[in-house]
Amino acid sequence: MSVLVKGGTVVNADRSFRADVLCDDGVIRAVGENQDAPRGAEVVDAGGQYVMPGGIDPHTHMQLPFMGTVASDDFYSGTAAGLAGGTTMIIDFVIPDPQQNLMDAYREWRGWAEKAVADYSFHVAVTWWDESVHKDMGTLVRDHGVNSFKHFMAYKGAIMADDEILVNSFTRAIELGAIVTVHAENGELVYRLQQEIFDKGITGPEGHPLSRPPEVEGEAANRAIRIAEVLGAPLYIVHNSCQQSLEAITRARNEGQRVYGEVLAGHLLLDESVYRHPDFATAAAHVMSPPFRSKGHQAALWRGLQSGNLQTTATDHCCFCADQKAAGKDDFRLIPNGTGGIENRLEVLWHHGVGTGKLTMNEFVKVTSTNTAQIFNIYPRKGSISVGADADIVVWDPEASKTISAKTHHQNVDYNIFEGMTVKGCASHTISNGKIVFADGKLNVERGAGRYVDRPPFATYYDALNTQAQLSEPVPVER
Ligand code: URP
Ligand code: ZN
Ligand code: ZN
């Protein structure tokens, strides 16, 4: 099956140019002017439009079992919603319960993901430690295409990783050529503040941001950075929401440390006033961690993205409907943490980023796709319009506009955090694995068409030694 995207302007991270893009059998076969459509090919008229690598969302939680319930968007509905907004790949998270065998959890998540309609991969969380975890990390890297491990520094009493776990896991990841990632919030402080605020009689959603101030995030970001520095681990910090964590990342990068930062579309565009909404359901719909911050933090995050100190954008797509959020009606600590957005990330970033001049189109491609592909070692298979890359493409109409609403979105959740926002610039067509899966506002997806994407480990110091040695004689490396 061939698709020819004709007459558009290709926008990659490094440059833009007029070219047709020919896809066949799921792969980009030609990029150049005046391509002929093979017999039977579908032709997408991209005149006046931009042809960009499909978005990669490096942070989603489809059907996550969390806080006594399960996220409402599953791997089918969630990846379909992503395609409707131009996102063609997700990196989700396997999150074992403490004491749960890592391989068992990994297999469980792989089973759930079989219904995905777009490509996917998994970070695996390290939530506890023993010899089996050490061994399973090796198996995951060597045999299962996992090159990133996640650590939740918050959620005490559940999945929180203390410093001992961080040190053990970071050390093991370095041996394996994997990258470590953290959710940076000091879980002990959150626990203490939640109790104090609740005891003062603040029981509603307005208590949520009070219990997770920016300092709590800044402390954890800095601690993870310093642990990674001492051990020599490359580090990726997810969902940076505030100036404090951005400053920690910027300082470390200026010192030459390999630290990367992600920012969520929601943290760039929403502020903490949402938690003071008089309607519980509306306020609770925004409860996620770290919380939305004051406008000053938003401005800092945009600057972080513009300066390159934050490299990726994500959504942390983790949806809960109003009846699920109602579990915390009388106690904000019980509101399931999470918000959606996979369908809207590209369009809100285009509108508020490219549309305002904060980002160039090429920078937009970098922060929505290419940088994630490079950091997680799947470039140029993903994140690039080039010959040999996967045919994951979004055709972008810069003149189209829409008003975002839960009434019309494809996400399986009854609220949209960008409700009522009018954006200019939207996906007109999405091509996933060489097939047109979204066109004229309609999805045409196939359950299970998404593929698991292996992410190979990075070359380690030991690999480099071996490569050098092979020039003379091979040296076996003990790991
Ligand atoms: O509130 C959030 N972010 N829920 C999903 C789990 C996490 O912390 O990423
Ligand atoms: Zn998190
Ligand atoms: Zn998350």
Side-chain angles (χ1 to χ4, degrees):
M1 156 58 106
S2 304
V3 175
L4 179 64
V5 183
K6 201 156 180 58
T9 299
V10 170
V11 182
N12 271 329
D14 60 342
R15 67 190 182 112
S16 313
F17 52 99
R18 294 295 295 268
D20 303 338
V21 180
L22 178 63
C23 313
D24 185 50
D25 211 13
V27 174
I28 297 177
R29 303 288 178 191
V31 181
E33 292 200 75
N34 304 318
Q35 296 293 316
D36 290 325
R39 188 190 299 267
E42 289 182 89
V43 178
V44 174
D45 177 6
Q49 303 192 66
Y50 299 116
V51 181
M52 303 188 284
I56 307 173
D57 193 331
H59 188 159
T60 66
H61 303 279
M62 303 306 173
Q63 67 190 86
L64 174 69
F66 194 50
M67 296 183 71
T69 183
V70 177
S72 58
D73 243 335
D74 65 17
F75 282 90
Y76 174 79
S77 59
T79 51
L83 291 175
T87 287
T88 51
M89 180 177 169
I90 60 169
I91 313 182
D92 207 273
F93 294 81
V94 173
I95 308 182
D97 286 330
Q99 312 308 320
Q100 186 185 10
N101 178 273
L102 255 62
M103 296 309 301
D104 288 348
Y106 170 78
R107 284 190 205 98
E108 197 167 27
W109 257 265
R110 286 289 304 266
W112 294 338
E114 277 175 8
K115 53 185 167 300
V117 300
D119 286 359
Y120 55 93
S121 194
F122 285 111
H123 312 280
V124 175
V126 175
T127 55
W128 63 294
W129 191 259
D130 77 352
E131 268 309 302
S132 79
V133 177
H134 180 274
K135 178 168 165 284
D136 289 348
M137 286 175 74
T139 307
L140 287 164
V141 172
R142 294 194 190 106
D143 304 336
H144 297 277
V146 172
N147 71 12
S148 51
F149 293 96
K150 169 77 176 283
H151 308 80
F152 291 91
M153 298 171 77
Y155 305 123
K156 179 177 157 71
I159 53 177
M160 183 170 100
D162 62 15
D163 285 2
E164 186 180 355
I165 297 176
L166 298 185
V167 170
N168 283 326
S169 176
F170 285 19
T171 305
R172 179 64 171 145
I174 299 165
E175 285 173 4
L176 296 166
I179 185 168
V180 295
T181 82
V182 294
H183 166 137
E185 285 186 300
N186 183 313
E188 292 293 342
L189 283 172
V190 171
Y191 186 76
R192 168 66 67 97
L193 291 173
Q194 283 182 326
Q195 189 64 47
E196 281 180 14
I197 286 156
F198 187 79
D199 289 347
K200 277 189 194 150
I202 302 173
T203 60
E206 69 279 17
H208 178 70
L210 298 175
S211 67
R212 309 179 98 102
E215 293 72 19
V216 160
E217 184 179 335
E219 186 283 324
N222 202 53
R223 180 158 38 101
I225 286 170
R226 292 308 181 197
I227 293 172
E229 180 188 20
V230 170
L231 299 173
L235 173 68
Y236 177 95
I237 304 184
V238 307
H239 54 38
N240 292 279
S241 73
C242 63
Q243 186 142 9
Q244 283 81 344
S245 59
L246 172 61
E247 279 168 2
I249 292 171
T250 305
R251 189 167 54 239
R253 288 177 65 84
N254 286 341
E255 289 167 0
Q257 203 179 330
R258 190 166 295 124
V259 177
Y260 304 106
E262 167 194 285
V263 61
L264 306 185
H267 284 132
L268 287 165
L269 296 171
L270 303 182
D271 69 70
E272 64 186 354
S273 62
V274 292
Y275 299 114
R276 296 191 293 273
H277 198 284
D279 172 39
F280 170 84
T282 304
H286 294 89
V287 167
M288 62 93 55
S289 298
F292 300 120
R293 307 290 190 191
S294 61
K295 290 193 188 305
H297 291 286
Q298 284 171 36
L301 294 173
W302 275 110
R303 286 195 297 273
L305 209 50
Q306 290 173 281
S307 65
N309 284 313
L310 299 174
Q311 297 76 32
T312 66
T313 59
T315 57
D316 198 0
H317 188 82
C318 185
C319 296
F320 299 105
C321 293
D323 58 339
Q324 296 174 289
K325 294 273 185 182
K329 187 96 189 75
D330 304 315
D331 183 346
F332 69 85
R333 296 171 297 183
L334 304 179
I335 300 170
N337 284 206
T339 52
I342 190 168
E343 187 166 350
N344 310 115
R345 177 179 62 123
L346 266 52
E347 59 207 19
V348 299
L349 279 164
W350 180 276
H351 181 87
H352 292 278
V354 181
T356 58
K358 289 191 182 84
L359 299 174
T360 65
M361 293 191 296
N362 306 92
E363 287 165 347
F364 171 84
V365 169
K366 271 188 208 172
V367 302
T368 56
S369 182
T370 309
N371 285 351
T372 290
Q374 291 182 338
I375 292 169
F376 293 106
N377 213 14
I378 45 175
Y379 182 84
R381 175 180 174 189
K382 302 288 187 186
S384 158
I385 302 285
S386 58
V387 173
D390 282 0
D392 283 359
I393 297 171
V394 57
V395 181
W396 196 260
D397 183 350
E399 296 303 323
S401 72
K402 74 188 237 194
T403 300
I404 296 170
S405 174
K407 292 192 184 77
T408 49
H409 72 196
H410 299 81
Q411 301 172 143
N412 185 33
V413 61
D414 53 10
Y415 194 81
N416 190 309
I417 57 169
F418 304 115
E419 183 74 32
M421 187 183 284
T422 298
V423 288
K424 185 167 175 218
C426 307
S428 71
H429 297 76
T430 307
I431 297 171
S432 168
N433 195 12
K435 297 189 186 68
I436 302 170
V437 288
F438 178 74
D440 303 322
K442 289 192 193 64
L443 278 168
N444 180 17
V445 295
E446 185 193 334
R447 198 177 176 86
R451 300 164 304 170
Y452 177 73
V453 176
D454 278 322
R455 292 178 295 119
F458 303 89
T460 64
Y461 171 71
Y462 303 102
D463 296 322
L465 273 185
N466 231 349
T467 309
Q468 270 180 1
Q470 274 163 14
L471 297 174
S472 48
E473 58 184 276
V475 176
V477 170
E478 281 298 316
R479 295 193 202 173

